[in-house]
Amino acid sequence: MRYGLVVMGGPYSHQASHSALRFAHALVDRGHRLETVFFYHDGVYNASRLAAPPQDEPHLGDAWLRLAESQGTALLVCVAAALRRGMTDEREARRHGKPAYNVEPPFELTGLGQLVEASLTHDRLVTFSP
């Protein structure tokens, strides 16, 4: 089956992101395909390349990167939610006159249309929310 996930919780403030990541690995281990992860609301913080958790804690952003690299999963970040929270990629930083950015590929800023498309094209769309 083709799955999509919606992650609405920040990486270290709620269990949602960690649970979504564990669910993602369980899907793959059972032979399913994880096509898309859409980060929404505080879930956009998972895409920050500037996060530096303590060494004895999992680095959830890096874990999402490894999953995307190994499975070809699209890591989509809601652009409106991201900009509202100070998250931007290089293109949006230039467009808004910001001196830096913290979202890099394979994370991709995108609109809600991508979430709607995932809901129409995937067999299952599972939401992880605080």
Side-chain angles (χ1 to χ4, degrees), residues 9 13-14 22 26 78 84 88 90-91 109 112 119 126 129:
S13 56
H14 298 284
R22 291 180 53 153
C78 176
R84 191 175 292 121
T88 184
E90 185 175 16
R91 184 186 58 149
L109 293 183
L112 286 174
S119 72
V126 181
S129 179

Side-chain angles (χ1 to χ4, degrees), residues 27-39:
L27 289 175
V28 171
D29 290 347
R30 286 167 180 75
H32 299 289
R33 175 119 175 92
L34 179 59
E35 299 273 332
T36 305
V37 179
F38 190 89
F39 298 96

Side-chain angles (χ1 to χ4, degrees), residues 52-86:
Q55 291 180 353
D56 63 340
E57 292 181 17
H59 194 302
L60 296 178
D62 285 352
W64 286 115
L65 289 173
R66 287 190 301 275
L67 180 70
E69 290 170 0
S70 68
Q71 300 302 313
T73 302
L75 300 178
L76 306 178
V77 180
C78 176
V79 66
L83 291 175
R84 191 175 292 121
R85 291 166 174 81

Side-chain angles (χ1 to χ4, degrees), residues 5 15-30 60 63-64 67 128:
L5 304 181
Q15 188 66 29
S17 180
H18 194 258
S19 294
L21 188 60
R22 291 180 53 153
F23 185 79
H25 285 292
L27 289 175
V28 171
D29 290 347
R30 286 167 180 75
L60 296 178
W64 286 115
L67 180 70
F128 292 84

